[in-house]
Amino acid sequence: KRAFRFLKEMEDRGISADRVTLNSLINACVSAGRVRDAQGVYEKMRQLNIAPDAYTFCTLAKQARHQCDVSMLDALLLHQLHHHTILQQRIDSGNEDPDLALQISPGAYNTIADAYIRCGYPGRAIDLLEKMREGRDRVGDASSISNPKETIPVSPDVQTFNVRLKALREAGAPSSEAFKALDEMRKLNLEADHITLLTLADLCCRREDMALAEGVLRVATDADVKEFENGSQEWKNLCNGNHPFRQQVGSGRGRTGSLAYGMSHAKRNA
């Protein structure tokens, strides 16, 4: 309510709201769980011809995730594609604003894909990420955006692959598919971070590929010494293999359960 009062005061003083103002207001509404108000601010932004940005779409996608509103995610994806098309057309027309190219990032797509996963639709996330994968060689081609059923021309980042691994994990894909994604990262000169490795190890655990999981965890420890030294106790316990887990006597699954328990609790957002 206080944020809306400030907006009203700005308008009374003849001060026009800009994208930063309205993004902050959307974020305040989402944080307070005021879904309709957040959507109303977004509509106001469109009415004022204020272009949204990745922050706008990421914030609204988080709201849709909390509500498990898949229809809203579908709509946000269409709006993001439209915004992407407009940005690329402005670049193609010779606009020299250096910020335009920076605005074409995978951030919003990553967040929408992650929201699909959290809403229980990893297949939709995989479909979106596959379009990004097919379109990465066509970055800068506005015509390919006009047909989003085929490709989305945007360069992936580490988060893109982290979300892809999560989607594969939740969709029940085999470990081999996850390692193919890791190999693609290497070919794109993207360095896996601890989220990448933990998600990969968790996927291997769920498929009971324990040798692979332990190998990934060793890499995670060796590659992220600074994270290990400065990280949380949960992270240290995970790397040291000290996982509180009740052994299931006679089941033969004690070791599997121990690793899976540690990884699922060490990084909730992995």
Side-chain angles (χ1 to χ4, degrees), residues 9 54 74 94 99 101 126 134 143 153 169 176 223 238 268-269:
E9 185 177 340
D74 291 342
D99 290 336
I126 290 172
E134 293 294 329
S143 64
R169 180 186 68 188
S176 58
L238 175 64
R268 290 285 185 179
N269 295 324

Side-chain angles (χ1 to χ4, degrees), residues 87-248:
L87 288 175
Q88 190 61 57
Q89 288 174 343
R90 289 174 63 188
I91 292 172
D92 292 344
S93 67
N95 192 307
E96 297 181 358
D97 184 352
D99 290 336
L100 287 179
L102 294 176
Q103 290 182 43
I104 299 180
S105 73
Y109 295 114
N110 293 342
T111 304
I112 292 171
D114 185 66
Y116 276 132
I117 298 168
R118 291 172 183 258
C119 289
Y121 290 86
R124 294 199 186 198
I126 290 172
D127 183 56
L128 169 55
L129 294 165
E130 188 62 25
K131 291 173 183 175
M132 294 170 65
R133 181 171 174 268
E134 293 294 329
R136 69 186 179 211
D137 294 329
R138 302 181 66 181
V139 174
D141 182 0
S143 64
S144 60
I145 314 173
S146 61
N147 187 17
K149 292 183 179 180
E150 301 297 333
T151 62
I152 298 175
V154 64
S155 299
D157 58 10
V158 174
Q159 186 191 8
T160 307
F161 282 93
N162 289 349
V163 175
R164 184 173 168 187
L165 288 172
K166 287 173 65 176
L168 292 171
R169 180 186 68 188
E170 300 305 318
S175 302
S176 58
E177 290 298 313
F179 280 93
K180 285 180 183 178
L182 200 66
D183 189 51
E184 285 183 32
M185 287 185 71
R186 180 185 61 78
K187 291 177 180 177
L188 293 172
N189 294 319
L190 294 173
E191 185 175 351
D193 61 14
H194 68 280
I195 298 296
T196 315
L197 297 173
L198 285 174
T199 307
L200 180 59
D202 191 20
L203 185 151
C204 292
C205 277
R206 296 191 190 190
R207 307 300 180 265
E208 298 191 10
D209 292 331
M210 301 314 300
L212 288 175
E214 290 177 355
V216 172
L217 286 176
R218 281 195 295 273
V219 171
T221 305
D222 294 340
D224 216 342
V225 175
K226 186 174 292 185
E227 178 84 26
F228 175 81
E229 292 174 345
N230 300 326
S232 68
Q233 189 60 47
E234 284 182 320
W235 169 251
K236 294 178 181 179
N237 287 342
L238 175 64
C239 291
N240 287 325
N242 299 324
H243 315 306
F245 182 80
R246 180 178 298 174
Q247 297 288 337
Q248 297 181 10

Side-chain angles (χ1 to χ4, degrees), residues 35 39 63-74 119:
V35 178
Q39 293 173 345
Q63 171 195 296
R65 181 191 73 196
H66 291 316
Q67 300 290 322
C68 280
D69 190 340
V70 178
S71 296
M72 182 177 176
L73 288 173
D74 291 342
C119 289

